[in-house]
Amino acid sequence: MSLPLHVFEPRYRKMVLDALASHRTIGMVLLRPGWEGDYEGRPPVFERGCAGRIVGSEALADGRLNIVLKGHTRFRIVAEHAGEPYRLASVEPVPEAVGDASILQDVRRKVLAAIGRAADGPTKLVVSDLPDEVFVNGLCQSLTLEAIERQSLLDCDTVSERYLRLAAIVEFRTLEQSYGGAGNGDSPKKVH
């Protein structure tokens, strides 16, 4: 999937310029909870992330950049390295396995039904005959999800597992809406 990004922090501007001058690839990982106290340093990150190739870039007059990353490989961090203001790491690819292919159509329908219930009525999705990997990854990116929910989807080892986890997340959100949130008085978040 493609992800547009606006790059403004000096260390990430340098990272993008370095990537543009060489391999054009950037890895994205999620900071672990509690990162706020050490954001300028190197707070702990989840070990799995996604690598994307810069397929579009626009340098702005003040040094900021607009880029478009096209995701291509999930990875696992093997080791981090010093030497730049941004993180450098050795990584190994995490293959995208199908898993139990016999359940793909059923779990695809389950996910679509859960989204329909969450939307509180009929929902139109352009589904066509997209391959399951493209379809479920597109849904994961386009739905309004918490960062930790996205991480849990990225951590799934197979497409079928990702479908099942996404269905569970959407079902939970639907129940949460039905019962007025998680009991903490906050307004529930709607899945879009």
Side-chain angles (χ1 to χ4, degrees):
M1 304 305 302
S2 294
L3 177 66
L5 296 169
H6 177 71
V7 183
F8 57 92
E9 287 188 51
R11 63 181 165 173
Y12 297 130
R13 292 191 316 211
K14 181 174 182 349
M15 177 185 69
V16 169
L17 293 173
D18 290 351
L20 286 170
S22 59
H23 47 70
R24 301 182 70 90
T25 300
I26 294 174
M28 303 282 290
V29 293
L30 180 63
L31 298 171
R32 288 193 176 271
W35 57 266
E36 299 86 355
D38 189 29
Y39 179 70
E40 296 299 325
R42 297 208 188 283
V45 296
F46 286 91
E47 77 172 14
R48 284 201 184 181
C50 187
R53 181 165 176 76
I54 301 172
V55 296
S57 64
E58 172 192 17
L60 304 175
D62 62 1
R64 294 175 298 135
L65 299 117
N66 290 322
I67 63 171
V68 177
L69 280 183
K70 183 172 174 82
H72 61 77
T73 307
R74 291 181 316 132
F75 64 81
R76 185 181 71 77
I77 297 173
V78 176
E80 282 196 50
H81 311 288
E84 293 293 345
Y86 53 87
R87 290 177 189 252
L88 291 173
S90 296
V91 300
E92 64 183 18
V94 175
E96 188 77 358
V98 170
D100 186 352
S102 68
I103 68 167
L104 289 179
Q105 289 309 308
D106 285 340
V107 293
R108 187 174 185 150
R109 279 192 289 278
K110 183 177 180 178
V111 166
L112 289 171
I115 290 170
R117 285 188 297 281
D120 199 24
T123 312
K124 281 195 167 196
L125 290 173
V126 179
V127 177
S128 69
D129 291 328
L130 289 174
D132 286 297
E133 175 185 335
V134 172
F135 182 73
V136 73
N137 290 344
L139 281 176
C140 291
Q141 182 175 339
S142 64
L143 294 174
T144 302
L145 301 172
E146 298 293 329
I148 197 70
E149 291 169 327
R150 289 183 189 282
Q151 183 67 42
S152 77
L153 292 161
L154 182 66
D155 287 342
C156 292
D157 288 325
T158 66
V159 172
S160 57
E161 184 184 339
R162 191 166 301 121
Y163 263 132
L164 290 168
R165 177 134 338 131
L166 181 60
I169 289 168
V170 174
E171 287 288 347
F172 177 79
R173 291 288 191 87
T174 303
L175 287 171
E176 189 177 49
Q177 284 179 317
S178 297
Y179 293 101
N184 60 8
D186 292 344
S187 298
K189 293 186 177 159
K190 184 160 177 116
V191 176
H192 299 281

